[in-house]
Amino acid sequence: MNCKGAEILINSLKKQGVDTIFGYPGGVVLPIYDVLYDSDVRHILTRHEQGAAHAADGYARATGKTGVCIATSGPGATNLVTGIATANMDSIPVVFFTGQVASHLIGRDAFQEADITGITLPITKHNYLVERTEDVERVVKEAFYIARTNRPGPVVVDLPKDIMDKFIDYTPDDSEAYIQSYRVMKGFNAGQVINAAELIKQAQRPVIYAGGGVIISDAAEELRELAEKRKIPVTTTLMGMGAFPGNNYLSLGMLGMHGTRYANYAVSESDLLIAVGVRFDDRVTGKIEAFAPHAKIIHIDIDAAEIGKNVAVDIPIVGQVKEVLHAINQRLEVVEEMSEWHQAIDRWKLEYPLRYPASIEGRIMPQHVIESIYDLTQGDAIITTEVGQHQMWTAQYYKFKNPRSFITSGGLGTMGYGFPAAIGAKIACPDKTVIDIAGDGSIQMNIQELGTAMQYKVPVIVCILNNQYLGMVRQWQGLFYKGRYSNTDISLQPDFVKVAEAYGAVGLRVTETDQVKDALREAMKVDDRPVFIDFVVEREADVFPMVAPGEPLLNMMGGDE
Amino acid sequence: MKHTLAVTVDNQPGVLTRVATMFRRRGFNIDSLTVGATENPSISRMTIVVQGDDQIIEQVTKQLYKLVNVIKIVDVTHERTVERELVLIKVKADTSVRTEVMQIVEIFRARIVDIGKNNLIIEVTGDSGKIDAIEEALRPFGIAELVRTGKIAMLRGCRG
């Protein structure tokens, strides 16, 4: 069969089961877009390449499938960089295809040339520059294989224009990807599983510390079995939200810098920490030497390099979280009670619940908006966020019930992530209510994606908690820089209702606490376009409790009265 | 302490950059790195000498394994190995000291590979200790130029 490179590319994508691509055309990807013109693969045209990157990432997080994104060379490719780094830090499988100038021009500073494989080397799981049309099918296969297996992550495939244009005699190759230097991790150390089960049986004050790896490994059920069998309290990281139901009596909510007091107390007092699919991030551990000081640590993760990276552990188990938990569960019997430990935790829960000040001079408290969203959706929506105060309040006050229902940039902390990610998630899951909880700062970083949501009739709801500040930075300036609010006041801002309306979307403004739920209900009725709700909230609300950076988890500020 | 890692990698463009970038990004220090072809044209062999305690070496090894193009890593530091380094030394040696220099060359089983009017180029192979020693011995005559390849290493016997 005589085929050109771009045809082989799209054909190879179809064989990977790709049904949706997020992208933005340009000069050197014209051959690819010409093939897409009459292909049945759906292409979602965003309004900025960064939007395409985050949308593909949101699509991947909502479904567990590998996201796909295309951009042109040079600025198109460099505009993806934040999106690639975001996916990399959170271990999200996305394959990014970038156009490249024609082979004979590479290295000559040609128009719109950028060394994107060089640029993305440290922020991808792997990347490729395709040098021959004959390699296109194999590279696509390998890229998807690498992106989705073991610890997932982004892969960049750079495609010079002439490689896409060239015709070759093509015979489809349906064999599996084979890479001599890359093997899919199978099995685990059975001896360590026995040791882990023994430690769990002996523990008096165990805590499970669960992260994004549980969700990636599809192990929420196994985690729940372990917790419920042995009555072990569970705290999750930001990335682990939804790995364990937030309304379960064993749930401690989030731990770490903005974790609950009872989660941080429980970890600090525990005699056994079962760390599952986590990487002991500084936002979780606080001062590392003082983290879980009395605990033996079991660390289960697919990535051997995470073992011992930040803390020394007693029992490392490298393997698929799902398989390892299943094996551990099989060695454990049900216990009825853990009364002393649970009594201590219940006391902390009673004494230090999450709380926030009552409304100040009648203004809406941002936490109240999130509680209202929870009341109306009962944990059944997909929630995305931007980055900052609203993100932490969401983690605190929305009780996530299911895996893949919380989509947020945890590792990189990318403002402007939530709106395009919500569009990607809604396109992947059209039957779910999808809500982006945003700040007035973050939403302005990718607000142009209103155009995308309008074009494809994507009814996502954007709840802007508008305090006219870059709120988290302002909070730190208040706490650590004597209240000198340097460059965090953004009260000069557009009328978000009118911005939405200018695009043809629905815009609502809420200024009174008793209108919050009505506005949300109204927004949920809209099914053919995005809705912006501008919640005008208390300007100087802070996220508490809080552990200052570098402090031990026990040194918590706020949230105790 | 110094560890010597024998690393087999895919023989592809950019693999050296991937390895070097990983070391830079994670803040590990490379003492020396050599790379060359092996008996199998699709595979190259790197010998990396890296400074660090056991915990650092463990992280270096695990992070190296995460690179898709890395096939195998053997820490040969405590193994029975043959280690070699090649060095070329241009030493100032007019006729008055030439005999003396040639004696040193003889003792170290090195070779003179070029003779100029006022200098000699000496080629030495050996382990790092030997090369350091001949460098010391030649220093009083004046070393005009010196270039070392960095270490390569191979396990003795069958393993590896």
Side-chain angles (χ1 to χ4, degrees), chain B residues 52-68:
Chain B
D53 58 24
D54 288 351
Q55 198 258 338
I56 287 176
I57 301 303
E58 189 185 325
Q59 262 299 304
V60 167
T61 307
K62 286 170 168 176
Q63 295 293 350
L64 275 172
Y65 266 123
K66 279 177 75 171
L67 298 176
V68 168

Side-chain angles (χ1 to χ4, degrees), chain A residues 88-89 117 121-129 131 138 146 151 179-182 303-310, chain B residues 9-14 17-19 21 24-26 40 42-43 55 58-59 62-63 65-71:
Chain A
N88 191 52
M89 286 290 268
T117 46
L121 207 63
I123 53 165
T124 48
K125 186 167 170 188
H126 195 54
N127 63 25
Y128 292 89
L129 169 63
E131 289 171 279
R138 175 183 58 81
I146 291 169
R151 180 177 181 172
I179 307 166
Q180 70 166 354
S181 50
Y182 181 88
D303 182 358
E306 286 304 335
I307 308 284
K309 185 181 81 177
N310 293 338
Chain B
V9 300
D10 289 332
N11 180 15
Q12 279 176 18
T17 318
R18 290 176 198 281
V19 170
T21 299
R24 177 191 57 76
R25 157 159 150 58
R26 301 271 174 194
N40 180 343
S42 70
I43 289 175
Q55 198 258 338
E58 189 185 325
Q59 262 299 304
K62 286 170 168 176
Q63 295 293 350
Y65 266 123
K66 279 177 75 171
L67 298 176
V68 168
N69 297 118
V70 170
I71 301 164

Side-chain angles (χ1 to χ4, degrees), chain A residues 355-365 367 513 538 561:
Chain A
R355 59 189 137 192
Y356 55 91
S359 169
I360 298 161
E361 291 169 17
R363 287 188 289 275
I364 302 171
M365 294 305 288
Q367 298 94 329
T513 302
E538 162 57 31
E561 50 186 328

Side-chain angles (χ1 to χ4, degrees), chain A residues 5-46:
Chain A
E7 291 171 324
I8 299 170
L9 172 71
I10 300 303
N11 193 42
S12 307
L13 291 181
K14 283 202 227 167
K15 282 201 274 183
Q16 294 296 326
V18 173
D19 53 20
T20 308
I21 298 173
F22 300 87
Y24 203 102
V28 298
V29 287
L30 278 164
I32 303 172
Y33 275 83
D34 190 55
V35 175
L36 281 173
Y37 190 64
D38 38 33
S39 160
D40 50 6
V41 177
R42 178 169 51 161
H43 179 274
I44 305 292
L45 171 67
T46 57

